[in-house]
């Protein structure tokens, strides 16, 4: 994954969440749980790191904005 950019955590209430999970379905389920509670910039795909188990997913959260309605 690329390094975290200063803009992603430039002020209180902004966060970067990295999810490690056994499979894509689990990683995206966790992302959906986060999206139900706060505004996120969701990831569209997971990544696999050579020599590491499972998959990784990174999303960006803004606690100052409400979650978007489906």
């Amino acid at each position: 994954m690329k390094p975290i950019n200063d803009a992603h955590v430039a002020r209180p209430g902004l966060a970067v969440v990295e999810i490690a999970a056994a499979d894509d379905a689990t990683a995206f389920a966790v992302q959906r749980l986060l999206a139900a509670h706060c505004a996120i910039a969701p990831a569209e795909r997971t990544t696999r790191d050579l020599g590491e188990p499972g998959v990784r997913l990174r999303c960006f959260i803004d606690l100052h904005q409400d979650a978007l309605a489906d």
Side-chain angles (χ1 to χ4, degrees):
M1 290 188 166
K2 295 181 181 179
I4 296 169
N5 184 308
D6 289 341
H8 297 140
V9 292
R11 60 184 171 81
L14 299 180
V16 179
V17 175
E18 293 186 348
I19 299 163
D23 56 26
D24 289 356
T26 303
F28 286 116
V30 172
Q31 180 174 258
R32 283 190 302 276
L33 287 171
L34 291 169
H37 297 283
C38 56
I40 72 167
E44 294 183 8
R45 64 180 182 86
T46 61
T47 60
R48 293 187 180 274
D49 294 331
L50 188 61
E52 295 287 328
V55 298
R56 303 286 187 274
L57 180 143
R58 180 185 287 174
C59 57
F60 304 93
I61 296 176
D62 186 342
L63 297 175
H64 298 293
Q65 296 184 28
D66 293 331
L68 297 176
D70 287 337

